Amino acid sequence: MSDRFLVSGGARLSGEVAVGGAKNSVLKLMAAALLAEGTTRLTNSPEIADVPLMADVLRGLGAVVRIDHDTVEIDAPAEPKYHADFDAVKQFRASVCVLGPLMARCHRAVVALPGGDAIGSRPLDMHQAGLRALGAHSSIEHGCVVAEADTLVGAPVALEFPSVGATENILMAAVLADGVTTIDNAAREPEVVDLCVMLQQMGARIDGAGTSTLTVTGVDRLHPTTHRVVGDRIVGATWGIAAVMTRGDVTVHGVVPEHLQLVLNKLVDAGAQVDRFTDGFRVRQENRPVAVNVSTLPFPGFPTDLQPMAIGMAAIADGMSVITENVFEARFRFVEEMVRLGADARTDGHHAVVRGSERLSSAPVWCSDIRAGAGLVLAGLVADGVTEVHDVEHIDRGYPRFVENLRSLGGAIERVG
């Protein structure tokens, strides 16, 4: 039986909290270390469950990986193994990001289809199409992505959707390809920019980071580097939304506020006072939040990873909110658990209609993914009585020191087996 959280409602969150490196960046940076023989060092790594899992994936490919709190060292071999078919790969989605580096270094890859959060279909069609454009043959065989090429040659690649994972895999394959690759409709997320920055430090030639067109001029080889992982904007925003829901006063350090511009603007619309500074922001909420509408979109839009928190905020807001999910169709599974907590919410296709209540009521609920788990805990903070949140190992995959940080802000939460 998995651990669960006991969350007591009624506390007003107040204080300061520091955010570490981004989950959605560090795992890709670890994979990128395979592109250069020798030791690459990542600092500001989050202490989350997925980092040791990715370390196991890299070890299976021949790398030596050392983890010391917030520092990860990856010593990549001269000739990486190309077959990633083992248990760690199947446990989380980001494991597929070794596909690009393996194609760049080995010109072949066999990577078990990944697992991860139950938030809807996330096919690898665009990853494969991008590799084919660079000259590879790719197929799905016996539960694995199989790709091979005599050589990779730069080419134009146009993505149907600005997929973060496809952008990253194609980018990492292209940095060692012959000639020039252009990736149109590329993802613009800060975590993609973070990957571009590290690859440039390793000697890659990349133009257009942060725009919808990436131009990659292949080089013969890359070299190891030391890189600081960008701050986790999703974790930072989670604490900001928690401040609004509990009518609290929370200061978040370790994130770039420009990475959350639309999110912070929504909190202002909900009635919060938001102060931005160089490495973070402060959110103060005195009254019940005002209902706001949210539509999830790729960056710079409202992140799909914050959709459960937006629904949690809507559930106790003054008025009716419409939350539209444009990225992952199954993410509304979370709404069923919110209804257990007394939320007046219903879904219709890509939309959730939520009528706010003064307060939610405690109940046992179950996490289906990382962000749904965090959203349920936030809802428990504004429910009467004690809410039991089950399957909290999902939260461990994305939120370092979750219980300790929440307690430091005055939240009443206990982890029990």
Side-chain angles (χ1 to χ4, degrees):
M1 188 173 182
S2 66
D3 286 0
R4 66 191 191 278
F5 290 154
L6 304 181
V7 185
S8 299
R12 176 180 182 269
L13 298 191
S14 179
E16 301 188 7
V17 62
V19 173
K23 168 194 180 292
N24 290 337
S25 186
V26 68
L27 305 176
K28 323 302 178 59
L29 300 176
M30 291 174 69
L34 291 172
L35 288 164
E37 179 184 357
T39 301
T40 289
R41 187 168 181 261
L42 302 175
T43 62
N44 197 38
S45 173
E47 296 183 57
I48 55 175
D50 275 8
V51 169
L53 282 176
M54 179 57 83
D56 286 343
V57 172
L58 299 184
R59 290 180 185 120
L61 296 171
V64 175
V65 185
R66 294 172 291 274
I67 302 174
D68 184 10
H69 299 292
D70 66 349
T71 300
V72 180
E73 291 184 347
I74 303 105
D75 189 355
E79 296 183 5
K81 300 175 185 177
Y82 65 89
H83 198 162
D85 182 18
F86 30 84
D87 288 341
V89 173
K90 300 170 185 175
Q91 293 184 51
F92 66 122
R93 178 71 184 184
S95 59
V96 78
C97 66
V98 300
L99 183 61
L102 291 180
M103 286 302 297
R105 289 290 306 280
C106 308
H107 289 176
R108 54 182 172 174
V110 179
V111 181
L113 291 172
D117 291 333
I119 56 176
S121 175
R122 296 196 279 186
L124 300 178
D125 295 359
M126 285 186 284
H127 301 244
Q128 293 182 277
L131 293 177
R132 291 185 187 120
L134 300 182
H137 300 282
S138 182
S139 59
I140 304 293
E141 300 177 17
H142 308 294
C144 295
V145 185
V146 179
E148 189 170 4
D150 293 331
T151 186
L152 295 178
V153 180
V157 177
L159 298 178
E160 297 176 9
F161 177 85
S163 160
V164 171
T167 298
E168 292 167 333
N169 257 329
I170 298 164
L171 171 66
M172 289 188 281
V175 291
L176 294 178
D178 294 334
V180 178
T181 299
T182 57
I183 307 174
D184 285 317
N185 201 22
R188 300 163 57 188
E189 272 73 1
E191 296 79 16
V192 175
V193 176
D194 199 32
L195 175 61
C196 289
V197 170
M198 187 176 108
L199 291 173
Q200 288 167 330
Q201 292 169 188
M202 297 171 75
R205 296 176 60 188
I206 303 168
D207 293 313
T211 74
S212 59
T213 301
L214 293 174
T215 302
V216 185
T217 303
V219 297
D220 291 334
R221 64 189 300 272
L222 299 179
H223 54 78
T225 190
T226 296
H227 178 77
R228 179 178 174 84
V229 182
V230 70
D232 197 317
R233 62 195 172 103
I234 304 301
V235 173
T238 299
W239 300 128
I241 295 172
V244 171
M245 290 178 64
T246 64
R247 306 186 195 185
D249 182 353
V250 175
T251 299
V252 178
H253 297 284
V255 294
V256 179
E258 286 77 17
H259 293 170
L260 289 166
Q261 185 168 330
L262 181 58
V263 176
L264 296 179
N265 288 345
K266 288 290 183 182
L267 298 189
V268 171
D269 293 343
Q273 180 176 337
V274 178
D275 301 314
R276 299 165 173 86
F277 41 91
T278 304
D279 76 329
F281 54 89
R282 180 183 181 186
V283 177
R284 285 173 281 180
Q285 181 84 19
E286 293 185 2
N287 302 310
R288 184 181 174 192
V290 177
V292 294
N293 296 330
V294 167
S295 294
T296 68
L297 286 169
F299 189 84
F302 194 95
T304 182
D305 279 354
L306 292 175
Q307 182 245 84
M309 297 70 161
I311 290 177
M313 185 170 71
I316 50 93
D318 184 5
M320 184 183 77
S321 304
V322 178
I323 313 297
T324 303
E325 176 55 56
N326 294 304
V327 183
F328 292 131
E329 71 278 4
R331 204 149 221 166
F332 281 150
R333 179 181 297 187
F334 165 81
V335 175
E336 299 173 9
E337 300 306 303
M338 285 296 299
V339 171
R340 292 179 192 272
L341 295 173
D344 183 354
R346 61 178 177 83
T347 59
D348 182 8
H350 289 277
H351 308 285
V353 179
V354 187
R355 291 176 173 82
S357 306
E358 284 277 359
R359 197 164 190 80
L360 300 176
S361 56
S362 58
V365 290
W366 282 263
C367 306
S368 57
D369 65 80
I370 298 169
R371 311 306 173 184
L376 290 170
V377 171
L378 266 55
L381 292 173
V382 291
D384 58 14
V386 178
T387 296
E388 291 189 18
V389 181
H390 294 259
D391 297 337
V392 298
E393 66 275 3
H394 289 293
I395 299 173
D396 297 336
R397 293 182 45 228
Y399 289 85
R401 297 175 51 81
F402 185 77
V403 169
E404 294 86 345
N405 283 324
L406 193 49
R407 281 179 174 169
S408 75
L409 296 173
I413 181 171
E414 179 185 358
R415 185 177 191 130
V416 295

